[in-house]
Amino acid sequence: MDKIRSQFQRMMNSERYSRFTLQPSENGERHAEVNLSDYAAEGDTAAEAPGSPSFRPAPLHHSRRTVAFVILGTLMVFLGGYLVGFISHHKPKVESDCEPSSTDKIGGMDPGKPSLTLSWKDVSQLLTSKLSSEAFKKTLKDFDKQNRSAGSEEDMSLANKIFDTFKTLGMTPWTDIHYVQLQMPDSQNPNTVYFGSDVIKPVGYLAYSKPGRVEGRLVYGNYGRQKDLDFVQGKVDLKGAVLLLRAGKITFAQQVDNAAKMGASAVLIYLDTEDYKLVTDTELYGHVHLGSGDPYTTGFPSFNHTLFAPTESAGLPKIPAQTITASSATTLLMKIGGPEVETNSDFKGELKSVVYKLGGSQNITVEVNNVLVNKEIHNVFGVIKGFTDPDRYVVLGAQRDAWGRGYTKATVGTSVLIELAKAFQEMVKKDNFRPRRSIIFASWSAGEFGNVGATEWLEGYMSSVDRSVFTYINLDGAVMGQERFIASASPLLYSLIETTMKEVNMPRKSVSIYQAMGGSNWESSVLRTMSVEDPAYPFLAFAGIPSMCFHFIQSNSESYPYYGTGLDNMDHLNYRTSQRTSNVTATAARFAGLMVLRLVHDHLLGLDVSRYYGSITKAVVQVYKRVNQLTQSGQLKDVSPNWLSRARSSYKRAADAITSAIANTDLTDKESCRILNDRIMKVEHSLLSPYVSVVEAPFRHLLLGRGPHTLAAIAETQDMEKLPLHLALATWNLQGSANAMAANVWDIDNEI
């Protein structure tokens, strides 16, 4: 080769290929120079092309041996290059957009090593095979604890156990610590109810009740719904009354809020045997904060109370509230007096020996002595980092605290969280699975006090979380039975829920959840409106993150009767699952796991922006009816909902534009796909009203929030003075959501 190169170099130096020559310069560099004098010497050549110098090379003069060396050298260089290229590029086919941009280890793997292509069928079968009922038997047993109250030693022990599990799995765990105000009973001064000669000292209580001692006439108010209290008000004056309400239909916080608005002085809540087939001495626990998070640090995190001025949530109750047992309620109702409720009225419960009357004639005294206790709580996280978009996260979460044992409320959800973490991490480490986006596994504390741990995390990291987390799936109470399936979710997730329902069979059945729940009519059987008590609610209505909860449940039931009691244990859940709790839990894990898998495997995010249009239309129609009604009655003038309807149309056009862009985009192109996903991720967050304070109205969502800014509130408002402003701001909130979906500022639809 050296001989060939030397001969080739001599040949090149001896021949002239053009009129350009390289000349050395003063600084040692070489430059090109044109020798124009050569052209004059070649008159015949110049004559062939007048006015243009000829650049044809002079004839080459060299031996045949030289030519042979040149040809042989060229062939050897070509062959060597081909072999090098073949060896360096002959590798297994990989997913083109799954190559990581970082050399850091991801999820315990070296991201520099490409993976074999895994189809959806491959990864879904892999995940399903790893979620066995046998594995859940052990995990459910491991995380079943006698006591797990928020901030207790048992709670901290569980947090450490979960942290160590994530660490063993190589999931880079971390802990988020908060110092929160939790309300507890005063052991030295118990809560008490006095009714004539009867003295009741309940063990259960309602956290965040207003403390104090109140006396008033005892009045029975059924479930405490607004329609219930309106009916009672027509019979008995509620001002200053102590309302006796049965649990159910609405949350404790809503019951107390409704009572306060009607002028009641206190509330007592019990479990009626018509709704809860429990022993009548069952104690009841809960909270009455009409909100979420620490109510004394509204809008900001409880990292350190000394850093912030003290504030109180507007959702804290203004009157005392206390739970009593069904036995104690029987004692009160037997002596309540007053008008009897009608025979066919739904006011009648099933307490034995009780004639249900409205009361209003006998006084009762309620004394609540709860105290605030500062507690340190730990949220624990683990992560499997994505290989294409690691800065985009789907979060799986479950609370680990509970009133008492909390088997269904906390143990099941925590077990699903742990087993999914194991399954996904094993797929990455052993099966060459490369999730495009990251999966965060979160264990929350103080969930029983109103999603305190989760909300504090959102408040602490809102500036980054709401732009990075594209979906939250909550696992609390995923298994309450086995006969039906229900879910509450952002409309953006409806299509993904439907797809997943078709891929997972009902527990112990050979038909899919989709088929079992009505097929094409599944929405009416499955979907529920997300309420403030839903553990996913703060993610959706406060942070603007598409979120969902789901539950396997018994027929003819909408809730789990043992929640908030000491009866939420393994035996009662086993009874409701026919002793197959681990099987049903495995099914719940498959459902949640396949939803997550879709969200991190597919090129395009599985969020359907078109599904919000139906919810928007329903809300706008209600506003239309209300405004027209007020206008016709003469209560409202010079106000039109037409602009709101135009904003709705703008949303429709923007959603259609995204659908069209998806159809005309190469989704295997990483940059194009990310741009589309960024547009989709903006939708939920853009529905948060920018015109209200998170301190005064933390649930800012235009459609699913709480407060006068929502379309639902505008459709029911009685405030004629503020209605025009609220309508205008809601209109532009909706138009802003449509604008956020535009690809570029020059694509914004200004037809409003």
Side-chain angles (χ1 to χ4, degrees), residues 426-447:
E426 185 175 311
M427 288 172 64
V428 172
K429 284 186 174 182
K430 298 182 179 180
D431 302 311
N432 293 313
F433 173 55
R434 299 293 182 267
R436 287 183 170 85
R437 304 167 195 97
S438 300
I439 311 171
I440 292 178
F441 300 82
S443 173
W444 313 114
S445 185

Side-chain angles (χ1 to χ4, degrees), residues 306-323:
T306 63
L307 296 178
F308 306 103
T311 63
E312 285 193 8
S313 167
L316 283 172
K318 298 175 176 58
I319 58 177
Q322 174 62 44
T323 57

Side-chain angles (χ1 to χ4, degrees), residues 327-545:
S327 295
S328 298
T330 299
T331 300
L332 301 183
L333 285 169
M334 291 179 67
K335 302 176 181 179
I336 193 171
E340 185 176 341
V341 299
E342 297 178 5
T343 304
N344 58 353
S345 171
D346 70 347
F347 273 59
K348 283 184 174 292
E350 292 184 357
L351 291 179
K352 292 182 179 180
S353 306
V354 170
V355 176
Y356 286 80
K357 298 179 180 180
L358 297 180
S361 59
Q362 303 289 327
N363 276 11
I364 189 171
T365 299
V366 177
E367 184 178 319
V368 175
N369 300 307
N370 299 337
V371 294
L372 287 174
V373 178
N374 189 271
K375 289 281 188 178
E376 177 183 321
I377 62 170
H378 292 194
N379 296 323
V380 181
F381 303 88
V383 63
I384 296 175
K385 296 178 184 177
F387 285 75
T388 302
D389 293 320
D391 59 335
R392 299 288 186 261
Y393 329 131
V394 56
V395 179
L396 274 167
Q399 76 174 57
R400 66 174 182 275
D401 69 292
W403 308 113
R405 203 169 199 117
Y407 190 82
T408 301
K409 189 67 175 285
T411 302
V412 169
T414 298
S415 298
V416 173
L417 185 77
I418 295 298
E419 286 302 312
L420 283 174
K422 291 178 180 178
F424 276 111
Q425 187 70 332
E426 185 175 311
M427 288 172 64
V428 172
K429 284 186 174 182
K430 298 182 179 180
D431 302 311
N432 293 313
F433 173 55
R434 299 293 182 267
R436 287 183 170 85
R437 304 167 195 97
S438 300
I439 311 171
I440 292 178
F441 300 82
S443 173
W444 313 114
S445 185
E448 293 285 42
F449 288 83
N451 304 313
V452 172
T455 303
E456 296 307 310
W457 182 68
L458 290 173
E459 290 176 340
Y461 305 100
M462 180 61 71
S463 59
S464 57
V465 165
D466 65 353
R467 289 169 175 79
S468 300
V469 179
F470 59 86
T471 300
Y472 175 69
I473 299 175
N474 187 270
L475 304 172
D476 298 348
V479 178
M480 301 176 176
Q482 62 177 339
E483 297 169 355
R484 294 169 55 236
F485 178 83
I486 60 175
S488 56
S490 161
L492 292 177
L493 290 166
Y494 286 176
S495 293
L496 181 57
I497 291 173
E498 179 177 354
T499 300
T500 310
M501 287 172 60
K502 293 177 180 178
E503 297 179 314
V504 180
N505 283 349
M506 285 291 289
R508 303 179 62 192
K509 293 183 180 180
S510 59
V511 299
S512 68
I513 300 173
Y514 178 79
Q515 293 172 308
M517 298 310 298
S520 59
N521 297 318
W522 71 273
E523 290 187 28
S524 60
S525 302
V526 171
L527 295 179
R528 302 291 185 270
T529 301
M530 193 174 288
S531 73
V532 68
E533 281 291 288
D534 196 306
Y537 188 75
F539 285 83
L540 178 61
F542 173 71
I545 297 169

Side-chain angles (χ1 to χ4, degrees), residues 485-692:
F485 178 83
I486 60 175
S488 56
S490 161
L492 292 177
L493 290 166
Y494 286 176
S495 293
L496 181 57
I497 291 173
E498 179 177 354
T499 300
T500 310
M501 287 172 60
K502 293 177 180 178
E503 297 179 314
V504 180
N505 283 349
M506 285 291 289
R508 303 179 62 192
K509 293 183 180 180
S510 59
V511 299
S512 68
I513 300 173
Y514 178 79
Q515 293 172 308
M517 298 310 298
S520 59
N521 297 318
W522 71 273
E523 290 187 28
S524 60
S525 302
V526 171
L527 295 179
R528 302 291 185 270
T529 301
M530 193 174 288
S531 73
V532 68
E533 281 291 288
D534 196 306
Y537 188 75
F539 285 83
L540 178 61
F542 173 71
I545 297 169
S547 308
M548 75 164 292
C549 280
F550 68 94
H551 312 280
F552 287 93
I553 199 167
Q554 292 297 90
S555 296
N556 304 316
S557 176
E558 291 292 321
S559 61
Y560 191 65
Y562 306 110
Y563 271 179
T565 74
L567 301 177
D568 182 7
N569 54 40
M570 180 184 67
D571 291 338
H572 282 108
L573 185 58
N574 280 342
Y575 174 77
R576 295 174 75 85
T577 61
S578 302
Q579 308 300 316
R580 298 178 68 88
T581 296
S582 61
N583 298 75
V584 185
T585 306
T587 301
R590 292 182 196 117
F591 182 86
L594 288 178
M595 285 198 68
V596 171
L597 194 58
R598 276 286 185 195
L599 290 166
V600 300
H601 172 271
D602 293 356
H603 295 271
L604 193 71
L605 289 179
L607 305 176
D608 189 348
V609 298
S610 67
R611 296 301 291 266
Y612 245 123
Y613 184 67
S615 299
I616 291 171
T617 298
K618 290 179 182 178
V620 170
V621 167
Q622 294 303 312
V623 172
Y624 247 84
K625 289 180 179 179
R626 181 60 175 165
V627 172
N628 289 337
Q629 179 187 37
L630 294 172
T631 300
Q632 291 173 5
S633 66
Q635 296 175 265
L636 193 64
K637 295 181 180 180
D638 301 323
V639 175
S640 171
N642 289 339
W643 277 24
L644 181 63
S645 181
R646 293 178 185 178
R648 178 198 60 157
S649 298
S650 291
Y651 182 94
K652 178 67 162 60
R653 289 190 292 272
D656 290 344
I658 287 184
T659 302
S660 177
I662 292 171
N664 293 287
T665 298
D666 177 8
L667 298 181
T668 62
D669 182 271
K670 287 192 289 186
E671 183 61 25
S672 298
C673 196
R674 186 174 173 98
I675 290 172
L676 270 176
N677 287 334
D678 285 347
R679 292 170 66 184
I680 293 170
M681 283 180 64
K682 292 177 181 178
V683 175
E684 199 78 73
H685 188 265
S686 67
L687 287 171
L688 299 182
S689 174
Y691 308 111
V692 295

